[in-house]
Amino acid sequence: GEDVEQSLFLSVREGDSSVINCTYTDSSSTYLYWYKQEPGAGLQLLTYIFSNMDMKQDQRLTVLLNKKDKHLSLRIADTQTGDSAIYFCAENAFSGGSYIPTFGRGTSLIVHP
Amino acid sequence: EAQVTQNPRYLITVTGKKLTVTCSQNMNHEYMSWYRQDPGLGLRQIYYSMNVEVTDKGDVPEGYKVSRKEKRNFPLILESPSPNQTSLYFCASKTGAGNEQFFGPGTRLTVL
């Protein structure tokens, strides 16, 4: 099957920038996503990018997409302790006539003072 | 309020005792899905459903059953639970062509 890969852990100091990286394999993905899971909660969509874009900015969040290398990154500027969570990269892989979401394993972001 | 609900939220059971985790959404979504989340393994899809009476296996379907008799409900059935099914389970839904998946709050299952 298709794979979405991301590192498992990232530790940053409060106020620094965080960059979470992801690689995917399905070149037919039309959208790529970042979901956030706070402790004890389900996943919530944080942001997404259309595959014909290479950058999307939303306040402190910047998503960069390198379609040639199938590489997606999420940059969080001025990281706060409230940003501590698990971040999942996901693609909409085409399978069986429909787009099926495929998730990475998640990156645990730890923000320390 | 648009939401995905799951019940129960927490369950401790014993090996072999059949159980059902319910999932319901009020957004008229066509697509529904079950995932399990385990440390170091992330989110793995168990089963999904494109619409009523249409279900398909995900990555880890062994030991699970699902049904989709109505659009809003997608129960997960464990006919004979085993300890390796101890996990955190999430139900999710989205429109057929939609982008965002909406997740339920999770069900933490422990099988002794």
Side-chain angles (χ1 to χ4, degrees), chain A residues 8-78:
Chain A
L8 291 182
F9 298 99
L10 177 65
S11 178
V12 299
R13 187 173 297 167
E14 191 175 15
D16 287 351
S17 292
S18 308
V19 179
I20 303 172
N21 295 302
C22 167
T23 57
Y24 62 97
T25 57
D26 192 330
S27 57
S28 71
S29 293
T30 52
Y31 289 92
L32 295 130
Y33 309 87
W34 286 103
Y35 281 80
K36 179 182 180 182
Q37 183 185 28
E38 296 187 352
L43 281 70
Q44 284 194 301
L45 182 66
L46 192 60
T47 186
Y48 66 91
I49 187 166
F50 190 47
S51 60
N52 70 353
M53 298 169 64
D54 51 23
M55 186 180 93
K56 179 179 179 181
Q57 189 145 5
D58 182 3
Q59 300 183 330
R60 292 189 298 120
L61 305 178
T62 303
V63 179
L64 295 177
L65 175 61
N66 181 330
K67 202 172 178 183
K68 174 175 165 291
D69 294 337
K70 298 192 185 73
H71 182 267
L72 182 74
S73 68
L74 173 69
R75 179 176 180 269
I76 305 173
D78 187 25

Side-chain angles (χ1 to χ4, degrees), chain B residues 82-93:
Chain B
S82 62
N84 65 11
Q85 292 177 299
T86 292
S87 187
L88 179 58
Y89 291 87
F90 287 101
C91 179
S93 73

Side-chain angles (χ1 to χ4, degrees), chain B residues 27-85:
Chain B
M27 295 168 279
N28 202 36
H29 285 166
E30 293 84 10
Y31 180 95
M32 296 186 75
S33 183
W34 276 103
Y35 297 88
R36 58 178 289 175
Q37 184 178 19
D38 302 288
L41 298 176
L43 217 60
R44 294 180 293 170
Q45 191 176 51
I46 303 170
Y47 269 95
Y48 63 95
S49 169
M50 295 290 196
N51 214 322
V52 175
E53 301 290 2
V54 181
T55 62
D56 270 301
K57 295 177 181 179
D59 297 320
V60 288
E62 294 78 21
Y64 304 94
K65 282 174 56 178
V66 292
S67 70
R68 188 91 182 274
K69 293 185 169 52
E70 309 161 281
K71 201 171 188 181
R72 63 183 294 126
N73 296 323
F74 190 44
L76 180 70
I77 303 153
L78 284 72
E79 294 270 4
S80 183
S82 62
N84 65 11
Q85 292 177 299

